[in-house]
Amino acid sequence: METIECIKTRRSVRKYTDQPIEREILQKIMDATVYAPSWKNTQIVRYTFVADREKINSIATEAVLGFAFNTKTMQRSAMLAVQSVVTGISGYEPDGSFSTDKGNGWEMYDAGISVQTFCLAAHEYGIGTVIMGVVDDLKIRSILGIPDTETVTAVIGMGYPLENHSAPQRKDVSELVRFIG
């Protein structure tokens, strides 16, 4: 698939078939994801894949901060990819001070770049994804045993899409862009 086609045809998918995702496909997705840029090449983003139905249900019912829409989406997923970042590195100087006025916000830049790369790579291999951010970091870390040195930044529902959807209406480029000079 060509890059622009991949960008334009990738959708948030919330309903999946029962077909499991093969480890070889996950490996290919991650082989591409590791190329996502990061602050000074710190590569702080981590992924924990969860196929265990009991753990998925625990996250879906106990770690969505009451957002029932995420509960339903997670329970429909063939697998969850829990994205986390190693904290205290991206955006920092060796002495612990911040490099810019964005503070620790660079962690979320790195997470955002990585999750978009992940979802585009998944789309290339026929895997539908949806990024969910209304989650309880501490609860998910407890359920999955993610180290205290990491913060959960997103949960990605994954699976082979049950149905295909066309793109929702997009704003005209003229509404999104300013040209100066």
Side-chain angles (χ1 to χ4, degrees), residues 108-130:
M108 289 306 286
Y109 279 101
D110 288 354
I113 294 166
S114 179
V115 78
Q116 176 71 348
T117 303
F118 179 95
C119 290
L120 289 171
H123 180 52
E124 170 74 19
Y125 293 106
I127 305 296
T129 56
V130 62

Side-chain angles (χ1 to χ4, degrees), residues 4-178:
I4 300 301
E5 178 188 357
C6 189
I7 292 168
K8 288 184 174 183
T9 60
R10 188 250 164 216
R11 302 282 168 269
S12 291
V13 176
R14 294 176 178 85
K15 294 180 183 176
Y16 311 93
T17 68
D18 292 333
Q19 181 180 353
I21 302 170
E22 304 83 9
R23 287 227 176 172
E24 297 79 30
I25 297 293
L26 295 173
Q27 184 65 48
K28 289 178 181 181
I29 293 168
M30 289 309 301
D31 285 345
T33 302
V34 298
Y35 283 91
S38 62
W39 172 269
K40 296 184 179 181
N41 198 32
T42 51
Q43 302 177 48
I44 62 165
V45 181
R46 304 291 184 266
Y47 290 87
T48 302
F49 291 102
V50 185
D52 178 289
R53 295 312 310 171
E54 187 175 311
K55 296 234 186 258
I56 289 172
N57 284 327
S58 291
I59 293 168
T61 57
E62 301 171 31
V64 295
L65 303 172
F67 190 52
F69 196 65
N70 279 357
T71 298
K72 188 170 26 173
T73 300
M74 288 180 189
Q75 289 174 332
R76 290 178 179 159
S77 300
M79 175 178 285
L80 298 179
V82 176
Q83 184 197 53
S84 57
V85 295
V86 178
T87 57
I89 298 170
S90 184
Y92 292 84
E93 293 300 319
D95 67 3
S97 65
F98 293 122
S99 299
T100 73
D101 64 356
K102 300 290 184 236
N104 67 353
W106 283 104
E107 292 172 351
M108 289 306 286
Y109 279 101
D110 288 354
I113 294 166
S114 179
V115 78
Q116 176 71 348
T117 303
F118 179 95
C119 290
L120 289 171
H123 180 52
E124 170 74 19
Y125 293 106
I127 305 296
T129 56
V130 62
I131 304 163
M132 295 171 277
V134 182
V135 296
D136 185 332
D137 164 52
L138 296 176
K139 188 67 176 173
I140 292 173
R141 282 194 291 142
S142 172
I143 291 168
L144 300 179
I146 295 173
D148 291 343
T149 55
E150 297 176 27
T151 298
V152 172
T153 48
V155 174
I156 303 112
M158 304 176 65
Y160 290 94
L162 186 62
E163 50 200 29
N164 291 318
H165 294 282
S166 59
Q169 182 64 39
R170 300 316 231 197
K171 291 183 179 184
D172 188 78
V173 172
S174 65
E175 295 180 61
L176 307 174
V177 176
R178 291 181 197 95

